[in-house]
Amino acid sequence: MREQQQDVLVIGGGHNGLVCAAYLAAAGLKVRVLERRHIVGGAAVTEEFHPGFRNSVASYTVSLLNPAVIRDLRLAEHGLRVVERPYANFLPLPDGRSFRLGGEHTHAEVAKWSARDAQRLPEYYAMLDRIVVVLRELMRRTPPNVSDGFVLADWLNSLAVGRQLKSLDMRGRRDLLDLFTKSAGELLDEWFEGEPLKAALGWDSVVGNFASPYTPGSAYVLLHHVFGEVNGKAGAWGHAIGGMGAITQAMRRECEARGVAIETDAEVARLLVEGGKAVGVELTDGRTLRAGLVACNLNPKLLYGTLVAPGVLDDDTTRRVARYRCGSGTFRMNVALSELPDFTAMPGTALQPHHQSGILVGPSLQYFEQAYFDAKSKQYNPGWARKPIVELVISSTLDDTLAPAGQHVASLFCQQVNPQVDGGWEAHRDTVARLMIDTVNDYAPNFARSVIGYEALSPLDLERRIGLVGGDIFHGALGLDQMFSARPFLGQGHYRGAFAGLYLCGSGSHPGGGVTGLPGRNAAREILRDLRRGPRPD
């Protein structure tokens, strides 16, 4: 079919693709976004999963979305409203007690388990705050392009990083090194003694991470999840009214206001490369679209392993793509409920503040570790934890647009499951879904009978539906070998891909996963720099 010409083609209409497109269009470029599904948003979408019940399908909570993206794309003006949880986490415990973290009751709650921990917790938060202030700024910067022999010290010694690190004293730099290299479990055991507190804090280290909390490097994953803020409050968690799709629909409206052409049901079959330069794409419907450059929002494994014809990549890059580590221990469920959970530790089905928090089933770091060992070893079943970790967020308690009156929707973010189970996920999806429901039911005995319907998404389903390879919510593991200048590979850490004219704008680039918008924003800055166009994001 006849070729069409534009300045920039963006492959993938997830939130980073939309962010990148919006900034490029603001500089006067003609931009077209191509999205495989019928709706833009990637993992940040709101869809009906049971008649009358809608929910955020995959991503389900707000914290990491960068304030500059919210401001520059006028998301609030396009209807985005984020409400905060009353406190961060509620942990029902096996012995019938419970633990709350966050809000005005935190000191008293922690002191019930350890007076020492209650005194140390403010110091722990202060330590994180000192480091996060520095790293939050670095997340907005393009890593130095290092093509050979990169080590962490190279990045830490780079000029841009050095300017930021000047604000840290020696103690702060040592803490930073600990957070980059130690396990979350080791770090938390050094700080605290109360198991519920360590579980509540350590949960962030295993979210989307198929690893033990005692895996070296997992402390950074913990750190990655505290970069965010809600309504100007650092480290807070919130809910977007209308679900996560409210974010990406607001982004879409701003893109269209800037003249971006957005096509849904437009699946890219192949990246066109001529003379070592990306010149366009071929769609599955037979169309060929050409452009001055291409920005890709897909997982690097999908880009290089699926869209690039065999033999076009050099051998070294081909090998590195094959070794790029993706995979998550995540099993995601959306559940329609006839009533709120009646927790043994906090009785009642009438709405209470704990129903509006992140409800964590997982009492200790040892529990987390055993869940990982079960799924990894496949010793007891085809590949899942006998006692899984479940975070339950009942989004309808903060947002009555998602469910019929008097009923509720819940997001279950469940771990650990092996990305590849023996016999395949098609054979085991419902078995594992029932296990997750039963796990919550052990703490809230009305939960199973209150389930009206559910949608279960295994790692395979997340890959097929949303493009999360191996269910990996980060588009690649957050290890030291896949971070900063080495994300996704050395030589491509500055958002420029394997071919001239190809740019990487998704979560497989710095600073990684989560609904931040920063990979898209940073990539747009580099594209505009190369084109000598402005205005550019700072």
Side-chain angles (χ1 to χ4, degrees):
M1 297 179 65
R2 182 173 61 87
E3 296 182 352
Q4 301 177 31
Q5 181 73 44
Q6 40 273 305
D7 296 320
V8 184
L9 289 171
V10 178
I11 303 174
H15 81 281
N16 278 310
L18 296 172
V19 169
C20 185
Y23 281 111
L24 296 179
L29 296 175
K30 184 178 179 182
V31 184
R32 182 177 296 270
V33 175
L34 303 169
E35 169 54 43
R36 176 179 61 89
R37 298 191 68 223
H38 68 283
I39 184 174
V40 296
V45 295
T46 305
E47 296 184 275
E48 186 176 76
F49 66 93
H50 187 79
F53 294 84
R54 300 184 307 127
N55 201 24
S56 304
V57 172
S59 175
Y60 62 99
T61 193
V62 182
S63 179
L64 298 175
L65 185 60
N66 189 264
V69 171
I70 296 173
R71 179 196 68 224
D72 295 347
L73 271 62
R74 304 186 303 166
L75 299 187
E77 295 173 47
H78 289 295
L80 178 63
R81 184 163 69 93
V82 179
V83 295
E84 299 166 44
R85 300 177 184 175
Y87 51 88
N89 292 108
F90 167 68
L91 279 70
L93 300 172
D95 62 4
R97 293 184 292 173
S98 66
F99 176 77
R100 291 179 297 174
L101 182 67
E104 60 184 10
H105 303 291
T106 295
H107 181 87
E109 284 284 314
V110 174
K112 289 178 184 178
W113 303 89
S114 167
R116 172 181 174 272
D117 286 357
Q119 296 206 340
R120 295 208 74 189
L121 186 59
E123 184 182 351
Y124 172 79
Y125 283 140
M127 179 271 291
L128 289 182
D129 287 344
R130 287 192 298 270
I131 292 170
V132 165
V133 165
V134 172
L135 292 185
R136 190 180 285 130
E137 180 61 26
L138 292 174
M139 298 303 100
R140 299 174 53 183
R141 301 300 169 202
T142 300
N145 183 37
V146 181
S147 58
D148 195 23
F150 172 81
V151 294
L152 178 62
D154 292 330
W155 187 78
L156 293 176
N157 288 328
S158 68
L159 181 62
V161 177
R163 284 196 295 263
Q164 296 297 325
L165 292 183
K166 282 183 178 179
S167 62
L168 289 177
D169 59 15
M170 183 55 67
R171 179 184 178 187
R173 296 181 191 190
R174 288 168 177 162
D175 289 336
L176 176 63
L177 184 62
D178 285 347
L179 284 160
F180 274 127
T181 58
K182 289 186 176 181
S183 74
E186 181 183 5
L187 185 76
L188 292 170
D189 286 342
E190 290 173 356
W191 275 92
F192 305 114
E193 56 192 10
E195 293 302 330
L197 174 61
K198 289 190 285 185
L201 297 173
W203 163 239
D204 284 339
S205 73
V206 299
V207 169
N209 188 22
F210 189 45
S212 161
Y214 289 95
T215 299
S218 59
Y220 175 78
V221 185
L222 182 156
L223 183 64
H224 183 84
H225 283 91
V226 299
F227 285 144
E229 59 184 85
V230 170
N231 299 330
K233 296 181 181 179
W237 294 90
H239 171 82
I241 298 298
M244 296 298 285
I247 297 172
T248 48
Q249 289 305 309
M251 289 176 173
R252 175 174 187 156
R253 286 189 282 273
E254 181 62 16
C255 281
E256 291 174 337
R258 296 181 183 188
V260 176
I262 297 177
E263 287 193 46
T264 54
D265 297 306
E267 183 174 1
V268 175
R270 186 163 63 95
L271 178 72
L272 300 179
V273 180
E274 297 175 0
K277 184 180 188 302
V279 296
V281 300
E282 181 182 310
L283 304 182
T284 56
D285 63 12
R287 285 182 296 157
T288 297
L289 305 178
R290 299 181 74 87
L293 59 88
V294 177
C296 185
N297 187 36
L298 306 186
N299 183 301
K301 271 189 176 292
L302 290 179
L303 167 62
Y304 292 122
T306 304
L307 301 189
V308 176
V312 176
L313 276 178
D314 64 87
D315 291 342
D316 180 64
T317 303
T318 299
R319 285 192 296 269
R320 294 185 184 280
V321 170
R323 294 199 300 266
Y324 185 67
R325 293 182 295 107
C326 290
S328 173
T330 300
F331 190 93
R332 180 72 173 83
M333 295 183 66
N334 297 297
V335 183
L337 301 173
S338 62
E339 62 182 357
L340 289 172
D342 182 6
F343 288 95
T344 303
M346 195 76 73
T349 58
L351 178 62
Q352 300 175 65
H354 68 274
H355 289 124
Q356 299 175 306
S357 71
I359 302 166
L360 180 60
V361 175
S364 68
L365 295 178
Q366 289 72 32
Y367 182 104
F368 294 177
E369 184 172 48
Q370 188 61 55
Y372 168 69
F373 287 161
D374 285 359
K376 179 70 173 177
S377 69
K378 302 182 181 180
Q379 181 178 354
Y380 304 101
N381 54 47
W384 54 82
R386 292 170 294 168
K387 293 184 177 181
I389 315 162
V390 179
E391 185 183 45
L392 175 70
V393 173
I394 310 171
S395 45
S396 54
T397 61
L398 297 165
D399 179 1
D400 62 8
T401 71
L402 301 176
Q407 298 177 318
H408 290 278
V409 296
S411 300
L412 273 63
F413 194 95
C414 314
Q415 296 202 205
Q416 296 276 5
V417 302
N418 199 301
Q420 296 184 357
V421 294
D422 295 343
W425 271 110
E426 299 287 2
H428 300 298
R429 181 189 301 108
D430 286 336
T431 297
V432 175
R434 287 192 295 271
L435 170 64
M436 300 306 176
I437 291 171
D438 289 343
T439 298
V440 178
N441 199 71
D442 288 343
Y443 294 81
N446 72 323
F447 187 75
R449 69 172 182 267
S450 73
V451 174
I452 299 170
Y454 66 80
E455 172 185 54
L457 299 171
S458 70
L460 178 62
D461 297 313
L462 292 169
E463 179 171 338
R464 287 175 172 173
R465 183 166 170 179
I466 307 174
L468 304 180
V469 176
D472 196 323
I473 66 172
F474 299 125
H475 283 201
L478 294 175
L480 287 178
D481 60 327
Q482 294 186 177
M483 285 166 46
F484 306 115
S485 295
R487 188 167 186 89
F489 318 112
L490 293 180
Q492 296 184 37
H494 60 337
Y495 307 101
R496 295 161 180 87
F499 312 108
L502 175 66
Y503 292 81
L504 310 177
C505 66
S507 293
S509 297
H510 173 74
V515 181
T516 70
L518 287 176
R521 189 177 194 267
N522 294 350
R525 182 179 60 244
E526 296 310 306
I527 291 169
L528 294 172
R529 178 173 286 122
D530 288 351
L531 295 177
R532 299 182 181 179
R533 298 283 291 265
R536 302 173 198 159
D538 58 12

